[in-house]
Amino acid sequence: MPALNMTSLWEKIRQEDTSAMVSLYEQTYADLLSYGVQLSNSNEVAKDAINDVFVDIWDNRSKLKPVEHVRAYLFACIRRKIFQSIASHRKISNLPEDMQLFNDQGDLSYEDILVAMQRSDEIRYKVQKALEKLTGRQRELIQMKYFKGMDYQQIESETGISMKTVYNTIYNAMKILADELRDILFVLIFLFLS
């Protein structure tokens, strides 16, 4: 498939042309699948990654930037999706035993993890005690950043606090939490960064 043709298909996808999307999918699927299986050693993981990438492309078609080397771009996207999937699987398999019970019933969602954490009295107690060591402002900014998913610029805009102060406040709060929660830090990192 000549690069110009794929570039043309990409431009048509950016203009919401569904037939261009189908054509790009059909023309690249076999190569992407072969590459994905080499990376993951799993046909299912590779197929899921391909489908996720194409769904993401279609969902974000109005925001897509022009791409000159579409095939290389797709390979990079597949590689990233597969590595995210592998990393996520490793995180779940490293959870403490009481948390892994939920994984036996299917994939863990964030809600499942939160429920599992709430069921552990020891963890809940430790988290509560650690949060009590934070100032009200630190708790507020932690909630905005990690539970509401706001970035530093959004927090600055909503609170009127300079971005540097927001960053420093969150950084200092995370240091306190890390010191207080050293023994359950992995679970917390999994929740915040996944």
Side-chain angles (χ1 to χ4, degrees), residues 17-40:
D17 184 333
T18 55
S19 63
M21 184 69 174
V22 171
S23 181
L24 183 64
Y25 181 86
E26 290 173 344
Q27 291 178 26
T28 58
Y29 184 82
D31 290 339
L32 293 174
L33 181 61
S34 175
Y35 180 66
V37 170
Q38 288 175 6
L39 289 176
S40 66

mmCIF file with all atom_site columns, all heavy atoms in Angstrom, residues 17-40:
data_model
loop_
_atom_site.group_PDB
_atom_site.id
_atom_site.type_symbol
_atom_site.label_atom_id
_atom_site.label_alt_id
_atom_site.label_comp_id
_atom_site.label_asym_id
_atom_site.label_entity_id
_atom_site.label_seq_id
_atom_site.pdbx_PDB_ins_code
_atom_site.Cartn_x
_atom_site.Cartn_y
_atom_site.Cartn_z
_atom_site.occupancy
_atom_site.B_iso_or_equiv
_atom_site.pdbx_formal_charge
_atom_site.auth_seq_id
_atom_site.auth_comp_id
_atom_site.auth_asym_id
_atom_site.auth_atom_id
_atom_site.pdbx_PDB_model_num
ATOM 1   N N   . ASP A 1 17 ? -15.129 10.370  7.012  1.00 0.00 ? 17 ASP A N   1
ATOM 2   C CA  . ASP A 1 17 ? -15.481 9.433   5.947  1.00 0.00 ? 17 ASP A CA  1
ATOM 3   C C   . ASP A 1 17 ? -15.372 7.998   6.493  1.00 0.00 ? 17 ASP A C   1
ATOM 4   O O   . ASP A 1 17 ? -14.280 7.478   6.692  1.00 0.00 ? 17 ASP A O   1
ATOM 5   C CB  . ASP A 1 17 ? -14.526 9.634   4.764  1.00 0.00 ? 17 ASP A CB  1
ATOM 6   C CG  . ASP A 1 17 ? -14.878 8.765   3.566  1.00 0.00 ? 17 ASP A CG  1
ATOM 7   O OD1 . ASP A 1 17 ? -15.485 7.690   3.754  1.00 0.00 ? 17 ASP A OD1 1
ATOM 8   O OD2 . ASP A 1 17 ? -14.529 9.160   2.445  1.00 0.00 ? 17 ASP A OD2 1
ATOM 9   N N   . THR A 1 18 ? -16.514 7.370   6.733  1.00 0.00 ? 18 THR A N   1
ATOM 10  C CA  . THR A 1 18 ? -16.518 6.021   7.318  1.00 0.00 ? 18 THR A CA  1
ATOM 11  C C   . THR A 1 18 ? -15.921 4.988   6.378  1.00 0.00 ? 18 THR A C   1
ATOM 12  O O   . THR A 1 18 ? -15.274 4.041   6.827  1.00 0.00 ? 18 THR A O   1
ATOM 13  C CB  . THR A 1 18 ? -17.944 5.588   7.714  1.00 0.00 ? 18 THR A CB  1
ATOM 14  O OG1 . THR A 1 18 ? -18.795 5.708   6.587  1.00 0.00 ? 18 THR A OG1 1
ATOM 15  C CG2 . THR A 1 18 ? -18.480 6.428   8.849  1.00 0.00 ? 18 THR A CG2 1
ATOM 16  N N   . SER A 1 19 ? -16.124 5.151   5.083  1.00 0.00 ? 19 SER A N   1
ATOM 17  C CA  . SER A 1 19 ? -15.577 4.166   4.145  1.00 0.00 ? 19 SER A CA  1
ATOM 18  C C   . SER A 1 19 ? -14.047 4.211   4.145  1.00 0.00 ? 19 SER A C   1
ATOM 19  O O   . SER A 1 19 ? -13.386 3.183   3.985  1.00 0.00 ? 19 SER A O   1
ATOM 20  C CB  . SER A 1 19 ? -16.126 4.378   2.735  1.00 0.00 ? 19 SER A CB  1
ATOM 21  O OG  . SER A 1 19 ? -15.744 5.641   2.231  1.00 0.00 ? 19 SER A OG  1
ATOM 22  N N   . ALA A 1 20 ? -13.464 5.392   4.364  1.00 0.00 ? 20 ALA A N   1
ATOM 23  C CA  . ALA A 1 20 ? -12.006 5.504   4.457  1.00 0.00 ? 20 ALA A CA  1
ATOM 24  C C   . ALA A 1 20 ? -11.517 4.788   5.707  1.00 0.00 ? 20 ALA A C   1
ATOM 25  O O   . ALA A 1 20 ? -10.477 4.117   5.696  1.00 0.00 ? 20 ALA A O   1
ATOM 26  C CB  . ALA A 1 20 ? -11.586 6.971   4.476  1.00 0.00 ? 20 ALA A CB  1
ATOM 27  N N   . MET A 1 21 ? -12.289 4.891   6.782  1.00 0.00 ? 21 MET A N   1
ATOM 28  C CA  . MET A 1 21 ? -11.929 4.210   8.031  1.00 0.00 ? 21 MET A CA  1
ATOM 29  C C   . MET A 1 21 ? -11.929 2.696   7.827  1.00 0.00 ? 21 MET A C   1
ATOM 30  O O   . MET A 1 21 ? -10.994 2.001   8.229  1.00 0.00 ? 21 MET A O   1
ATOM 31  C CB  . MET A 1 21 ? -12.922 4.608   9.133  1.00 0.00 ? 21 MET A CB  1
ATOM 32  C CG  . MET A 1 21 ? -12.593 4.049   10.472 1.00 0.00 ? 21 MET A CG  1
ATOM 33  S SD  . MET A 1 21 ? -11.107 4.810   11.123 1.00 0.00 ? 21 MET A SD  1
ATOM 34  C CE  . MET A 1 21 ? -11.098 4.106   12.744 1.00 0.00 ? 21 MET A CE  1
ATOM 35  N N   . VAL A 1 22 ? -12.967 2.187   7.208  1.00 0.00 ? 22 VAL A N   1
ATOM 36  C CA  . VAL A 1 22 ? -13.076 0.751   6.945  1.00 0.00 ? 22 VAL A CA  1
ATOM 37  C C   . VAL A 1 22 ? -11.937 0.299   6.032  1.00 0.00 ? 22 VAL A C   1
ATOM 38  O O   . VAL A 1 22 ? -11.309 -0.738  6.265  1.00 0.00 ? 22 VAL A O   1
ATOM 39  C CB  . VAL A 1 22 ? -14.452 0.409   6.331  1.00 0.00 ? 22 VAL A CB  1
ATOM 40  C CG1 . VAL A 1 22 ? -14.493 -1.029  5.840  1.00 0.00 ? 22 VAL A CG1 1
ATOM 41  C CG2 . VAL A 1 22 ? -15.563 0.671   7.346  1.00 0.00 ? 22 VAL A CG2 1
ATOM 42  N N   . SER A 1 23 ? -11.657 1.091   5.020  1.00 0.00 ? 23 SER A N   1
ATOM 43  C CA  . SER A 1 23 ? -10.599 0.741   4.076  1.00 0.00 ? 23 SER A CA  1
ATOM 44  C C   . SER A 1 23 ? -9.227  0.696   4.765  1.00 0.00 ? 23 SER A C   1
ATOM 45  O O   . SER A 1 23 ? -8.452  -0.241  4.559  1.00 0.00 ? 23 SER A O   1
ATOM 46  C CB  . SER A 1 23 ? -10.578 1.753   2.932  1.00 0.00 ? 23 SER A CB  1
ATOM 47  O OG  . SER A 1 23 ? -9.578  1.420   2.010  1.00 0.00 ? 23 SER A OG  1
ATOM 48  N N   . LEU A 1 24 ? -8.931  1.683   5.599  1.00 0.00 ? 24 LEU A N   1
ATOM 49  C CA  . LEU A 1 24 ? -7.657  1.690   6.314  1.00 0.00 ? 24 LEU A CA  1
ATOM 50  C C   . LEU A 1 24 ? -7.561  0.485   7.245  1.00 0.00 ? 24 LEU A C   1
ATOM 51  O O   . LEU A 1 24 ? -6.521  -0.179  7.310  1.00 0.00 ? 24 LEU A O   1
ATOM 52  C CB  . LEU A 1 24 ? -7.499  2.990   7.115  1.00 0.00 ? 24 LEU A CB  1
ATOM 53  C CG  . LEU A 1 24 ? -6.168  3.146   7.857  1.00 0.00 ? 24 LEU A CG  1
ATOM 54  C CD1 . LEU A 1 24 ? -5.003  3.223   6.867  1.00 0.00 ? 24 LEU A CD1 1
ATOM 55  C CD2 . LEU A 1 24 ? -6.195  4.399   8.734  1.00 0.00 ? 24 LEU A CD2 1
ATOM 56  N N   . TYR A 1 25 ? -8.647  0.175   7.925  1.00 0.00 ? 25 TYR A N   1
ATOM 57  C CA  . TYR A 1 25 ? -8.698  -0.980  8.831  1.00 0.00 ? 25 TYR A CA  1
ATOM 58  C C   . TYR A 1 25 ? -8.416  -2.265  8.052  1.00 0.00 ? 25 TYR A C   1
ATOM 59  O O   . TYR A 1 25 ? -7.570  -3.063  8.445  1.00 0.00 ? 25 TYR A O   1
ATOM 60  C CB  . TYR A 1 25 ? -10.071 -1.037  9.499  1.00 0.00 ? 25 TYR A CB  1
ATOM 61  C CG  . TYR A 1 25 ? -10.253 -2.157  10.485 1.00 0.00 ? 25 TYR A CG  1
ATOM 62  C CD1 . TYR A 1 25 ? -9.864  -2.014  11.809 1.00 0.00 ? 25 TYR A CD1 1
ATOM 63  C CD2 . TYR A 1 25 ? -10.828 -3.369  10.096 1.00 0.00 ? 25 TYR A CD2 1
ATOM 64  C CE1 . TYR A 1 25 ? -10.050 -3.046  12.734 1.00 0.00 ? 25 TYR A CE1 1
ATOM 65  C CE2 . TYR A 1 25 ? -11.008 -4.400  11.012 1.00 0.00 ? 25 TYR A CE2 1
ATOM 66  C CZ  . TYR A 1 25 ? -10.616 -4.228  12.325 1.00 0.00 ? 25 TYR A CZ  1
ATOM 67  O OH  . TYR A 1 25 ? -10.794 -5.249  13.222 1.00 0.00 ? 25 TYR A OH  1
ATOM 68  N N   . GLU A 1 26 ? -9.108  -2.459  6.937  1.00 0.00 ? 26 GLU A N   1
ATOM 69  C CA  . GLU A 1 26 ? -8.948  -3.687  6.153  1.00 0.00 ? 26 GLU A CA  1
ATOM 70  C C   . GLU A 1 26 ? -7.553  -3.814  5.566  1.00 0.00 ? 26 GLU A C   1
ATOM 71  O O   . GLU A 1 26 ? -6.987  -4.904  5.515  1.00 0.00 ? 26 GLU A O   1
ATOM 72  C CB  . GLU A 1 26 ? -9.988  -3.734  5.031  1.00 0.00 ? 26 GLU A CB  1
ATOM 73  C CG  . GLU A 1 26 ? -11.405 -3.958  5.538  1.00 0.00 ? 26 GLU A CG  1
ATOM 74  C CD  . GLU A 1 26 ? -12.458 -3.842  4.443  1.00 0.00 ? 26 GLU A CD  1
ATOM 75  O OE1 . GLU A 1 26 ? -12.149 -3.301  3.348  1.00 0.00 ? 26 GLU A OE1 1
ATOM 76  O OE2 . GLU A 1 26 ? -13.593 -4.275  4.688  1.00 0.00 ? 26 GLU A OE2 1
ATOM 77  N N   . GLN A 1 27 ? -6.973  -2.698  5.137  1.00 0.00 ? 27 GLN A N   1
ATOM 78  C CA  . GLN A 1 27 ? -5.664  -2.739  4.485  1.00 0.00 ? 27 GLN A CA  1
ATOM 79  C C   . GLN A 1 27 ? -4.517  -2.937  5.478  1.00 0.00 ? 27 GLN A C   1
ATOM 80  O O   . GLN A 1 27 ? -3.446  -3.408  5.086  1.00 0.00 ? 27 GLN A O   1
ATOM 81  C CB  . GLN A 1 27 ? -5.430  -1.451  3.693  1.00 0.00 ? 27 GLN A CB  1
ATOM 82  C CG  . GLN A 1 27 ? -6.341  -1.340  2.481  1.00 0.00 ? 27 GLN A CG  1
ATOM 83  C CD  . GLN A 1 27 ? -6.138  -0.035  1.736  1.00 0.00 ? 27 GLN A CD  1
ATOM 84  O OE1 . GLN A 1 27 ? -5.063  0.551   1.789  1.00 0.00 ? 27 GLN A OE1 1
ATOM 85  N NE2 . GLN A 1 27 ? -7.169  0.409   1.043  1.00 0.00 ? 27 GLN A NE2 1
ATOM 86  N N   . THR A 1 28 ? -4.709  -2.594  6.723  1.00 0.00 ? 28 THR A N   1
ATOM 87  C CA  . THR A 1 28 ? -3.612  -2.682  7.681  1.00 0.00 ? 28 THR A CA  1
ATOM 88  C C   . THR A 1 28 ? -3.792  -3.796  8.714  1.00 0.00 ? 28 THR A C   1
ATOM 89  O O   . THR A 1 28 ? -2.846  -4.135  9.417  1.00 0.00 ? 28 THR A O   1
ATOM 90  C CB  . THR A 1 28 ? -3.445  -1.343  8.440  1.00 0.00 ? 28 THR A CB  1
ATOM 91  O OG1 . THR A 1 28 ? -4.675  -1.021  9.110  1.00 0.00 ? 28 THR A OG1 1
ATOM 92  C CG2 . THR A 1 28 ? -3.052  -0.221  7.491  1.00 0.00 ? 28 THR A CG2 1
ATOM 93  N N   . TYR A 1 29 ? -4.972  -4.365  8.801  1.00 0.00 ? 29 TYR A N   1
ATOM 94  C CA  . TYR A 1 29 ? -5.296  -5.306  9.871  1.00 0.00 ? 29 TYR A CA  1
ATOM 95  C C   . TYR A 1 29 ? -4.323  -6.485  9.945  1.00 0.00 ? 29 TYR A C   1
ATOM 96  O O   . TYR A 1 29 ? -3.807  -6.792  11.027 1.00 0.00 ? 29 TYR A O   1
ATOM 97  C CB  . TYR A 1 29 ? -6.726  -5.818  9.730  1.00 0.00 ? 29 TYR A CB  1
ATOM 98  C CG  . TYR A 1 29 ? -7.136  -6.721  10.873 1.00 0.00 ? 29 TYR A CG  1
ATOM 99  C CD1 . TYR A 1 29 ? -7.569  -6.181  12.073 1.00 0.00 ? 29 TYR A CD1 1
ATOM 100 C CD2 . TYR A 1 29 ? -7.056  -8.108  10.769 1.00 0.00 ? 29 TYR A CD2 1
ATOM 101 C CE1 . TYR A 1 29 ? -7.930  -6.987  13.143 1.00 0.00 ? 29 TYR A CE1 1
ATOM 102 C CE2 . TYR A 1 29 ? -7.412  -8.923  11.835 1.00 0.00 ? 29 TYR A CE2 1
ATOM 103 C CZ  . TYR A 1 29 ? -7.852  -8.358  13.014 1.00 0.00 ? 29 TYR A CZ  1
ATOM 104 O OH  . TYR A 1 29 ? -8.192  -9.158  14.066 1.00 0.00 ? 29 TYR A OH  1
ATOM 105 N N   . ALA A 1 30 ? -4.058  -7.145  8.847  1.00 0.00 ? 30 ALA A N   1
ATOM 106 C CA  . ALA A 1 30 ? -3.204  -8.345  8.868  1.00 0.00 ? 30 ALA A CA  1
ATOM 107 C C   . ALA A 1 30 ? -1.802  -8.020  9.376  1.00 0.00 ? 30 ALA A C   1
ATOM 108 O O   . ALA A 1 30 ? -1.253  -8.746  10.226 1.00 0.00 ? 30 ALA A O   1
ATOM 109 C CB  . ALA A 1 30 ? -3.137  -8.978  7.482  1.00 0.00 ? 30 ALA A CB  1
ATOM 110 N N   . ASP A 1 31 ? -1.215  -6.931  8.899  1.00 0.00 ? 31 ASP A N   1
ATOM 111 C CA  . ASP A 1 31 ? 0.134   -6.542  9.351  1.00 0.00 ? 31 ASP A CA  1
ATOM 112 C C   . ASP A 1 31 ? 0.133   -6.133  10.819 1.00 0.00 ? 31 ASP A C   1
ATOM 113 O O   . ASP A 1 31 ? 1.043   -6.482  11.573 1.00 0.00 ? 31 ASP A O   1
ATOM 114 C CB  . ASP A 1 31 ? 0.673   -5.391  8.505  1.00 0.00 ? 31 ASP A CB  1
ATOM 115 C CG  . ASP A 1 31 ? 1.008   -5.817  7.080  1.00 0.00 ? 31 ASP A CG  1
ATOM 116 O OD1 . ASP A 1 31 ? 1.214   -7.026  6.856  1.00 0.00 ? 31 ASP A OD1 1
ATOM 117 O OD2 . ASP A 1 31 ? 1.058   -4.941  6.197  1.00 0.00 ? 31 ASP A OD2 1
ATOM 118 N N   . LEU A 1 32 ? -0.897  -5.405  11.232 1.00 0.00 ? 32 LEU A N   1
ATOM 119 C CA  . LEU A 1 32 ? -0.980  -4.985  12.628 1.00 0.00 ? 32 LEU A CA  1
ATOM 120 C C   . LEU A 1 32 ? -1.180  -6.187  13.555 1.00 0.00 ? 32 LEU A C   1
ATOM 121 O O   . LEU A 1 32 ? -0.603  -6.249  14.635 1.00 0.00 ? 32 LEU A O   1
ATOM 122 C CB  . LEU A 1 32 ? -2.116  -3.973  12.822 1.00 0.00 ? 32 LEU A CB  1
ATOM 123 C CG  . LEU A 1 32 ? -1.930  -2.608  12.145 1.00 0.00 ? 32 LEU A CG  1
ATOM 124 C CD1 . LEU A 1 32 ? -3.197  -1.764  12.292 1.00 0.00 ? 32 LEU A CD1 1
ATOM 125 C CD2 . LEU A 1 32 ? -0.729  -1.867  12.701 1.00 0.00 ? 32 LEU A CD2 1
ATOM 126 N N   . LEU A 1 33 ? -1.981  -7.141  13.110 1.00 0.00 ? 33 LEU A N   1
ATOM 127 C CA  . LEU A 1 33 ? -2.214  -8.338  13.908 1.00 0.00 ? 33 LEU A CA  1
ATOM 128 C C   . LEU A 1 33 ? -0.914  -9.134  14.071 1.00 0.00 ? 33 LEU A C   1
ATOM 129 O O   . LEU A 1 33 ? -0.567  -9.563  15.172 1.00 0.00 ? 33 LEU A O   1
ATOM 130 C CB  . LEU A 1 33 ? -3.299  -9.209  13.284 1.00 0.00 ? 33 LEU A CB  1
ATOM 131 C CG  . LEU A 1 33 ? -3.644  -10.486 14.052 1.00 0.00 ? 33 LEU A CG  1
ATOM 132 C CD1 . LEU A 1 33 ? -4.172  -10.164 15.448 1.00 0.00 ? 33 LEU A CD1 1
ATOM 133 C CD2 . LEU A 1 33 ? -4.660  -11.319 13.274 1.00 0.00 ? 33 LEU A CD2 1
ATOM 134 N N   . SER A 1 34 ? -0.193  -9.313  12.981 1.00 0.00 ? 34 SER A N   1
ATOM 135 C CA  . SER A 1 34 ? 1.073   -10.041 13.038 1.00 0.00 ? 34 SER A CA  1
ATOM 136 C C   . SER A 1 34 ? 2.047   -9.346  13.994 1.00 0.00 ? 34 SER A C   1
ATOM 137 O O   . SER A 1 34 ? 2.675   -9.999  14.833 1.00 0.00 ? 34 SER A O   1
ATOM 138 C CB  . SER A 1 34 ? 1.678   -10.116 11.634 1.00 0.00 ? 34 SER A CB  1
ATOM 139 O OG  . SER A 1 34 ? 2.944   -10.701 11.673 1.00 0.00 ? 34 SER A OG  1
ATOM 140 N N   . TYR A 1 35 ? 2.142   -8.047  13.896 1.00 0.00 ? 35 TYR A N   1
ATOM 141 C CA  . TYR A 1 35 ? 3.017   -7.267  14.765 1.00 0.00 ? 35 TYR A CA  1
ATOM 142 C C   . TYR A 1 35 ? 2.554   -7.369  16.221 1.00 0.00 ? 35 TYR A C   1
ATOM 143 O O   . TYR A 1 35 ? 3.352   -7.585  17.133 1.00 0.00 ? 35 TYR A O   1
ATOM 144 C CB  . TYR A 1 35 ? 3.033   -5.812  14.299 1.00 0.00 ? 35 TYR A CB  1
ATOM 145 C CG  . TYR A 1 35 ? 3.892   -4.904  15.122 1.00 0.00 ? 35 TYR A CG  1
ATOM 146 C CD1 . TYR A 1 35 ? 5.275   -5.048  15.166 1.00 0.00 ? 35 TYR A CD1 1
ATOM 147 C CD2 . TYR A 1 35 ? 3.328   -3.869  15.863 1.00 0.00 ? 35 TYR A CD2 1
ATOM 148 C CE1 . TYR A 1 35 ? 6.066   -4.201  15.917 1.00 0.00 ? 35 TYR A CE1 1
ATOM 149 C CE2 . TYR A 1 35 ? 4.114   -3.014  16.617 1.00 0.00 ? 35 TYR A CE2 1
ATOM 150 C CZ  . TYR A 1 35 ? 5.485   -3.179  16.634 1.00 0.00 ? 35 TYR A CZ  1
ATOM 151 O OH  . TYR A 1 35 ? 6.264   -2.338  17.382 1.00 0.00 ? 35 TYR A OH  1
ATOM 152 N N   . GLY A 1 36 ? 1.260   -7.245  16.443 1.00 0.00 ? 36 GLY A N   1
ATOM 153 C CA  . GLY A 1 36 ? 0.701   -7.310  17.787 1.00 0.00 ? 36 GLY A CA  1
ATOM 154 C C   . GLY A 1 36 ? 0.933   -8.654  18.448 1.00 0.00 ? 36 GLY A C   1
ATOM 155 O O   . GLY A 1 36 ? 1.245   -8.730  19.633 1.00 0.00 ? 36 GLY A O   1
ATOM 156 N N   . VAL A 1 37 ? 0.805   -9.730  17.682 1.00 0.00 ? 37 VAL A N   1
ATOM 157 C CA  . VAL A 1 37 ? 1.040   -11.075 18.221 1.00 0.00 ? 37 VAL A CA  1
ATOM 158 C C   . VAL A 1 37 ? 2.517   -11.244 18.575 1.00 0.00 ? 37 VAL A C   1
ATOM 159 O O   . VAL A 1 37 ? 2.850   -11.843 19.596 1.00 0.00 ? 37 VAL A O   1
ATOM 160 C CB  . VAL A 1 37 ? 0.561   -12.167 17.233 1.00 0.00 ? 37 VAL A CB  1
ATOM 161 C CG1 . VAL A 1 37 ? 1.028   -13.540 17.670 1.00 0.00 ? 37 VAL A CG1 1
ATOM 162 C CG2 . VAL A 1 37 ? -0.956  -12.128 17.104 1.00 0.00 ? 37 VAL A CG2 1
ATOM 163 N N   . GLN A 1 38 ? 3.409   -10.701 17.749 1.00 0.00 ? 38 GLN A N   1
ATOM 164 C CA  . GLN A 1 38 ? 4.842   -10.770 18.069 1.00 0.00 ? 38 GLN A CA  1
ATOM 165 C C   . GLN A 1 38 ? 5.145   -10.068 19.386 1.00 0.00 ? 38 GLN A C   1
ATOM 166 O O   . GLN A 1 38 ? 5.952   -10.546 20.183 1.00 0.00 ? 38 GLN A O   1
ATOM 167 C CB  . GLN A 1 38 ? 5.674   -10.115 16.965 1.00 0.00 ? 38 GLN A CB  1
ATOM 168 C CG  . GLN A 1 38 ? 5.751   -10.906 15.688 1.00 0.00 ? 38 GLN A CG  1
ATOM 169 C CD  . GLN A 1 38 ? 6.484   -10.138 14.599 1.00 0.00 ? 38 GLN A CD  1
ATOM 170 O OE1 . GLN A 1 38 ? 7.022   -9.059  14.823 1.00 0.00 ? 38 GLN A OE1 1
ATOM 171 N NE2 . GLN A 1 38 ? 6.485   -10.695 13.392 1.00 0.00 ? 38 GLN A NE2 1
ATOM 172 N N   . LEU A 1 39 ? 4.493   -8.925  19.638 1.00 0.00 ? 39 LEU A N   1
ATOM 173 C CA  . LEU A 1 39 ? 4.742   -8.165  20.858 1.00 0.00 ? 39 LEU A CA  1
ATOM 174 C C   . LEU A 1 39 ? 4.134   -8.814  22.097 1.00 0.00 ? 39 LEU A C   1
ATOM 175 O O   . LEU A 1 39 ? 4.724   -8.800  23.164 1.00 0.00 ? 39 LEU A O   1
ATOM 176 C CB  . LEU A 1 39 ? 4.179   -6.743  20.738 1.00 0.00 ? 39 LEU A CB  1
ATOM 177 C CG  . LEU A 1 39 ? 4.891   -5.793  19.794 1.00 0.00 ? 39 LEU A CG  1
ATOM 178 C CD1 . LEU A 1 39 ? 4.143   -4.470  19.724 1.00 0.00 ? 39 LEU A CD1 1
ATOM 179 C CD2 . LEU A 1 39 ? 6.322   -5.558  20.239 1.00 0.00 ? 39 LEU A CD2 1
ATOM 180 N N   . SER A 1 40 ? 2.930   -9.365  21.933 1.00 0.00 ? 40 SER A N   1
ATOM 181 C CA  . SER A 1 40 ? 2.173   -9.803  23.109 1.00 0.00 ? 40 SER A CA  1
ATOM 182 C C   . SER A 1 40 ? 2.121   -11.314 23.304 1.00 0.00 ? 40 SER A C   1
ATOM 183 O O   . SER A 1 40 ? 1.709   -11.778 24.360 1.00 0.00 ? 40 SER A O   1
ATOM 184 C CB  . SER A 1 40 ? 0.736   -9.288  23.004 1.00 0.00 ? 40 SER A CB  1
ATOM 185 O OG  . SER A 1 40 ? 0.065   -9.910  21.918 1.00 0.00 ? 40 SER A OG  1
#
